[in-house]
Amino acid sequence: MRQTVSGIDRETRGKERIGVDWKEELTGLVFPRRCPICDDIVRPRGELICPECRSAISFVREPCCKKCGKALDDPGREYCGDCLRHTRSFEAGISLLNYEGPAADSIARIKYHNKREYLDFYADEAVKRCGRRIKEIRPDVLIPVPVHPARLRKRGFNQAEILAARLGKRLEIPVETKLLRRNRKTVPNKNLTPRERLKNLTAAFSADPVLAEAMRRDGVRRILIVDDIYTTGATVEACCRVLHHAGFEKAWFFTIGIGHGT
């Protein structure tokens, strides 16, 4: 007589596991995993990053800005210059690594060269290093920053949405991808001042009013916005303002990379 656990046949589960392992093994042989830093095939197999490349990543460590989470050079300071100069609609931010050097190149390859597999490493590392703080926020839902439909068609994916899905699965937090919408394409932000960036993005986002009302009825109050990078904060700020206007009380953010505090 075969033993069962929770009504599931152990032998059947074992066969299913063998099937999954076989598929994963074959996928690994045909499409070997690439390192998110050097982009070479990861050695040893089964890892998500080359052991020697891990040291090239600068993870965010204290002291950090108490608002946006940027690393600070002066341990006596509580806030970065950006957060002292500009009003912030979010409660606080959490980021995994400093947006510089090889890590910045890695994040760019995700977005512009379809290196989505790197997000497995960043999601796993985020849970290990930031999972406890994310849980302490007690977010009701994760909201990825949307991209414009035309850009989504051209790129084929939204890296923030994929990241949110991976984090949500690992942390058991729901993900909602339809609440925030990007209404219009914006000009590239990299050559704009912080004020110009915010103005550029203010009208770019909106919230679905019907979905927002339904979510509020279901008790959604605390939102964690998910994106790939935070530099001046204009994108997150624009999203937070839209969410507040839609009736959500509090919003935080998580990003893979964040600029350095001034």
Side-chain angles (χ1 to χ4, degrees), residues 143-148 158 160-161 177 180-182 205-206 226 239:
I143 304 289
V145 173
V147 297
H148 188 272
N158 175 3
E161 186 174 321
T177 63
L180 274 182
R181 300 179 295 199
R182 195 139 189 172
F205 297 103
S206 67
V226 177
C239 291

Side-chain angles (χ1 to χ4, degrees), residues 169-203:
K169 182 178 180 179
R170 288 161 172 80
L171 296 173
E172 298 182 325
I173 303 171
V175 179
E176 178 51 66
T177 63
K178 304 300 183 183
L179 176 62
L180 274 182
R181 300 179 295 199
R182 195 139 189 172
N183 303 315
R184 63 182 179 84
K185 295 173 72 174
T186 52
V187 299
N189 280 329
K190 60 184 179 180
N191 295 321
L192 302 179
T193 66
R195 184 182 297 275
E196 289 169 337
R197 287 188 183 201
L198 184 56
K199 182 179 179 181
N200 186 36
L201 288 162
T202 297

Side-chain angles (χ1 to χ4, degrees), residues 13 25 29 60 70 81 105 109 114-115 125 141 145 154 174 180 199 207 223-224 226 229 239-240 244:
R13 290 180 64 186
E25 185 75 12
L29 289 171
V60 175
K70 285 182 179 179
D105 294 338
R109 289 199 301 273
N114 197 14
K115 295 293 184 176
E125 207 66 23
V141 67
V145 173
K154 181 178 180 180
L180 274 182
K199 182 179 179 181
I223 288 176
L224 183 67
V226 177
I229 59 172
C239 291
C240 281
H244 287 325

Side-chain angles (χ1 to χ4, degrees), residues 212-227:
E213 183 179 355
M215 290 173 65
R216 293 197 307 272
R217 284 200 307 267
D218 287 341
V220 174
R221 297 290 183 271
R222 304 164 71 88
I223 288 176
L224 183 67
I225 297 167
V226 177
D227 204 4

Side-chain angles (χ1 to χ4, degrees), residues 1-18:
M1 183 174 179
R2 291 183 291 192
Q3 292 180 306
T4 61
V5 176
S6 301
I8 300 175
D9 190 301
R10 283 183 181 272
E11 183 174 321
T12 301
R13 290 180 64 186
K15 290 178 179 178
E16 289 175 350
R17 183 64 254 173
I18 292 172

